[in-house]
């Protein structure tokens, strides 16, 4: 099935499609972040030691992100593709911030330190290309979700309020 960007609707998807989407986005972007982080750290005078996925608590984010993205594609109402991209990109970043912030709080750090540390990891994820890769994968993968209903039934423009979109 060919999907065009302007007319594509993303929202409720089949369980298999939503799970494949979440695994594709989460695992691929995490691996890209890990590889780039290790490459930067391999230089003798590198700017940092490897920071991503060095501890077992760092695996909380991929697991939580898989769950959040899968559930989002299963329960969110159909929307234009660009809205699904914005929502899922925001959910990815928010999940990253919450997971690393919560991990710092569990380790006994103060709220301010945990908050700052979560944003540091988010900034590190930009430098290691994990976030840009996730955003690009989300943009690509939303066009490959299998809908639960035919495309005509998912169109928000078919309702009177949807014509305002």
């Amino acid at each position: 099935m060919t999907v065009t960007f302007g007319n594509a609707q993303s929202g409720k998807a089949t369980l298999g499609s939503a799970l494949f989407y979440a695994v594709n986005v989460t695992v691929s972007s995490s691996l890209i972040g890990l590889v780039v982080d290790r490459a930067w750290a391999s230089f003798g005078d590198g700017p940092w030691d490897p920071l991503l996925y060095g501890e077992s608590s760092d695996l909380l984010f991929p697991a939580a992100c898989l769950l959040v993205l899968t559930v989002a594609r299963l329960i969110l109402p159909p929307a234009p593709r660009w809205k699904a991209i914005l929502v899922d990109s925001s959910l990815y970043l928010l999940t990253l911030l919450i997971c690393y912030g919560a991990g710092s709080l569990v380790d006994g750090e103060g709220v301010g330190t945990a908050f700052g540390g979560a944003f540091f990891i988010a900034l590190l994820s930009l430098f290691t290309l994990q976030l840009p890769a996730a955003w690009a994968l989300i943009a690509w993968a939303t066009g490959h979700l299998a809908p639960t209903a035919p495309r005509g039934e998912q169109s928000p423009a078919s309702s009177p309020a949807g014509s305002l979109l």
Side-chain angles (χ1 to χ4, degrees):
M1 166 173 52
T2 303
V3 178
T4 60
F5 186 80
N7 297 330
Q9 300 294 316
S10 294
K12 292 185 179 182
T14 62
L15 177 61
S17 176
L19 188 58
F20 181 74
Y21 165 78
V23 167
N24 185 22
V25 169
T26 304
V27 172
S28 299
S29 64
S30 296
L31 285 175
I32 288 170
L34 180 67
V35 168
V36 173
D37 185 43
R38 297 298 188 256
W40 273 87
S42 68
F43 293 111
D45 298 329
W48 58 64
D49 291 331
L51 293 174
L52 293 176
Y53 308 108
E55 300 176 15
S56 61
S57 63
D58 292 343
L59 297 177
L60 173 66
F61 165 68
C65 194
L66 280 171
L67 179 67
V68 167
L69 289 178
T70 301
V71 169
R73 287 301 103 217
L74 289 175
I75 67 170
L76 288 176
R81 185 172 173 195
W82 65 269
K83 284 185 182 178
I85 292 168
L86 288 177
V87 167
D88 287 358
S89 297
S90 299
L91 286 173
Y92 186 95
L93 180 58
L94 186 62
T95 304
L96 182 113
L97 291 171
I98 289 171
C99 287
Y100 282 100
S104 295
L105 286 174
V106 168
D107 289 343
E109 297 180 14
V111 173
T113 304
F115 187 74
F119 277 92
F120 172 74
I121 294 296
L123 183 63
L124 181 66
S125 295
L126 281 171
F127 284 121
T128 61
L129 304 178
Q130 179 177 342
L131 278 177
W135 296 333
L137 286 164
I138 287 169
W140 171 79
T142 52
H144 299 288
L145 287 168
T148 56
R151 292 267 181 215
E153 294 176 19
Q154 286 190 358
S155 176
S158 62
S159 69
S163 63
L164 299 175
L165 296 175

